[in-house]
Amino acid sequence: MTAAAPGRLTGIPPEAFATAARRIMARCDELSRVSADDGSITRVYLSPEHARVNRLAAEWMREVGMTTRMDAAGNQLGLLRAAEKDAPVLMLGSHLDTVIDAGRFDGILGVLMAIETVRLLRVPGAELGSWRSPFPFGIEVAAFSDEEGTRFGKALLGSSAVAGQWDESWWDLTDADGITVREAYREFGLDPGRIGEAAHTSEQLVGYLEAHIEQGPELDRRSEPLAVVSSIASARRFQLSVEGEARHAGGTPYDMRRDALLGASEAALAVERICSAEHHIIGTVGQLEAFPGAVNVVPGEAKFSLDLRGEYDEKRDAVWQRISRDLDEIMGRRHLRWRAREVHQAPALFCDPLLQDVMAQGIGSTLPKGSAEPVTLFSPAGHDGMTIGSVTPVGMLFLRNPDGISHHPDEAVSAPDVALGLRAFAEAVAHRGAEPVS
Ligand code: HGY
Ligand code: MN
Ligand code: MN
């Protein structure tokens, strides 16, 4: 294989990336054992599992010379200062929370790659045994606490606080047990009144870089290990309810039925039909429940979720209008009533051109000289950069996930790809370090 294009980190022996990759894989396994459920991975916001992984991440951050703190929103942060004390920081990170029955790498890989990047790039500080950033900016690693929104339905709570975007109405969101965000904060040892302290200003940040597994099959299909991310899909999430009439499953003729579950089922098929005909528009009904839920009762009520994403906010919203019109027709024909409550919305995030460029240069340093331009992919999956992008430029790196399965225990990444990804990510940071700070 011809030598890779020269990077900035020529002083780091290739085996250092392989060693770090092995450490990352082992720690992904270790974190996967911190779960609310035996035999599967579920770790939600402000849970005992959240506290335990924060402690582990903090230990690993200190191990590479960072000072650590948990912020007012439960995010675990590590800081490697620059020589100049009040210098801004380049934030690296991802999230440690998971969906239900999750994989081992979604979010977790990016946090651990950020920590290992600090280990690779740090230089001795002024005091004996201390370390500092070699760049005119510090490096802050963020292990965000709630990217998925699994517990309270609203996603990106942790990074929204860091972006100074906390919405007071979120304190009253409740989990499946009726516990509010406010109560969960207090139980976790956080003071809701101090949430504003988690906010970072644009002046404090140089940018945000995140490495993440691709949560789709593109890289696997192209036999490519890495990609630059061009943009992150916008998101809207709804909880919908359908009202019909509960009746006897045997004695009720079909022409008298107002079956809410059939209305919701037709709605789910309409979502698939409408979205699958569009480019980069994705609609999913992930939850569906019938009430009263007895085998011998025609369902009088049904509740279901809708996760709607699009590359462009406007197009996503136009598709939501079309879906709504179809629901009016379906429910009207079945003599049902429907309503929708929006529980989450985040605009599309277009990655910063400079950070896309340094990420491409980072990947280029892992490719043989004269290779084609690195792959660039749109991310239909959401990420914390969607909120952080409101205060600072964002760049992302995707790593190949064989078959692309994610939000599932079979989610995977290979150690060699992690070593390559770590080289590319660290190179991207070094390339950013060679650019003007602001
Ligand atoms: O749902 C998403 O796209 C992300 O994985 N939270
Ligand atoms: Mn996820
Ligand atoms: Mn994720």
Side-chain angles (χ1 to χ4, degrees):
M1 182 169 137
T2 50
R8 292 178 176 277
L9 304 179
T10 44
I12 299 178
E15 61 273 15
F17 296 100
T19 304
R22 283 193 295 276
R23 185 184 299 116
I24 289 169
M25 298 300 276
R27 288 179 170 176
C28 284
D29 283 345
E30 186 172 352
L31 290 179
S32 72
R33 292 188 286 274
V34 183
S35 171
D37 302 329
D38 286 339
S40 64
I41 305 170
T42 302
R43 200 164 50 236
V44 300
Y45 194 29
L46 305 173
S47 62
E49 299 72 41
H50 170 189
R52 280 175 58 201
V53 289
N54 271 9
R55 286 195 291 274
L56 274 171
E59 190 185 306
W60 295 335
M61 289 171 175
R62 287 192 291 274
E63 181 187 273
V64 299
M66 287 191 267
T67 53
T68 58
R69 66 186 176 93
M70 184 168 73
D71 74 4
N75 302 299
Q76 181 60 52
L77 304 177
L79 179 61
L80 185 78
R81 288 193 187 289
E84 202 263 297
K85 189 170 168 305
D86 297 331
V89 296
L90 176 66
M91 183 177 274
L92 312 177
S94 192
H95 60 94
L96 291 179
D97 66 301
T98 75
V99 294
I100 298 166
D101 196 9
R104 287 173 294 148
F105 303 104
D106 174 2
I108 290 82
L109 178 73
V111 173
L112 296 174
M113 283 180 65
I115 294 173
E116 291 305 319
T117 297
V118 169
R119 189 195 305 269
L120 289 163
L121 297 180
R122 65 188 184 176
V123 295
E127 294 85 50
L128 191 62
S130 71
W131 298 95
R132 69 171 175 79
S133 161
F135 309 115
F137 47 74
I139 298 177
E140 184 168 45
V141 173
F144 291 117
S145 51
D146 183 48
E147 188 273 344
E148 301 288 2
T150 304
R151 180 172 179 184
F152 295 102
K154 167 79 184 91
L156 306 167
L157 289 179
S159 50
S160 293
V162 169
Q165 285 190 341
W166 188 268
D167 182 316
E168 288 300 305
S169 68
W170 296 344
W171 293 121
D172 299 316
L173 293 173
T174 54
D175 66 8
D177 300 323
I179 297 171
T180 65
V181 171
R182 180 184 293 102
E183 289 161 342
Y185 259 60
R186 291 189 177 127
E187 211 173 298
F188 196 72
L190 295 172
D191 173 358
R194 301 182 62 174
I195 189 71
E197 295 173 16
H200 285 52
T201 62
S202 304
E203 293 69 32
Q204 292 169 317
L205 291 165
V206 167
Y208 172 66
L209 291 179
E210 177 169 354
H212 203 289
I213 52 164
E214 186 207 343
Q215 293 171 294
E218 276 310 305
L219 283 173
D220 195 33
R221 284 179 179 169
R222 301 183 196 202
S223 302
E224 290 282 352
L226 306 173
V228 180
V229 176
S230 57
S231 72
I232 305 172
S234 64
R236 292 183 75 172
R237 286 184 192 174
F238 301 88
Q239 287 295 336
L240 294 98
S241 56
V242 179
E243 211 177 302
E245 186 182 41
R247 276 184 171 254
H248 194 288
T252 311
Y254 283 107
D255 63 2
M256 286 184 71
R257 292 182 179 217
R258 294 170 52 221
D259 186 328
L261 178 57
L262 292 183
S265 306
E266 257 203 80
L269 291 172
V271 166
E272 180 192 43
R273 171 173 42 80
I274 292 169
C275 295
S276 58
E278 297 289 342
H279 180 64
H280 282 173
I281 292 282
I282 311 104
T284 308
V285 173
Q287 296 164 333
L288 173 60
E289 211 174 348
F291 301 90
V295 293
N296 54 356
V297 179
V298 173
E301 190 188 8
K303 291 184 188 293
F304 64 97
S305 64
L306 173 60
D307 174 310
L308 181 63
R309 307 160 185 235
E311 188 168 10
Y312 300 99
D313 299 11
E314 302 71 26
K315 190 162 170 203
R316 173 207 63 193
D317 294 344
V319 168
W320 167 238
Q321 293 308 318
R322 277 186 53 201
I323 291 171
S324 300
R325 284 196 297 275
D326 265 41
L327 297 193
D328 282 338
E329 187 281 323
I330 293 164
M331 307 307 170
R333 176 166 33 85
R334 288 180 171 273
H335 310 297
L336 301 168
R337 280 206 303 271
W338 72 282
R339 61 180 187 281
R341 181 170 60 89
E342 186 157 18
V343 294
H344 171 59
Q345 175 165 155
L349 184 282
F350 292 86
C351 293
D352 175 67
L354 169 62
L355 294 184
Q356 285 194 54
D357 181 52
V358 300
M359 203 57 85
Q361 292 188 63
I363 296 175
S365 72
T366 68
L367 300 172
K369 268 201 206 82
S371 295
E373 276 296 297
V375 173
T376 297
L377 290 179
F378 155 67
S379 173
H383 302 284
D384 284 302
M386 297 165 87
T387 54
I388 302 297
S390 65
V391 285
T392 197
V394 170
M396 280 197 76
L397 172 72
F398 269 172
L399 285 86
R400 172 170 44 195
N401 164 13
D403 173 66
I405 191 167
S406 181
H407 285 184
H408 185 280
D410 291 350
E411 191 175 271
V413 70
S414 74
D417 282 356
V418 172
L420 272 181
L422 189 57
R423 170 77 195 257
F425 196 70
E427 284 276 354
V429 174
H431 281 286
R432 181 60 190 86
E435 297 289 335
V437 169
S438 55

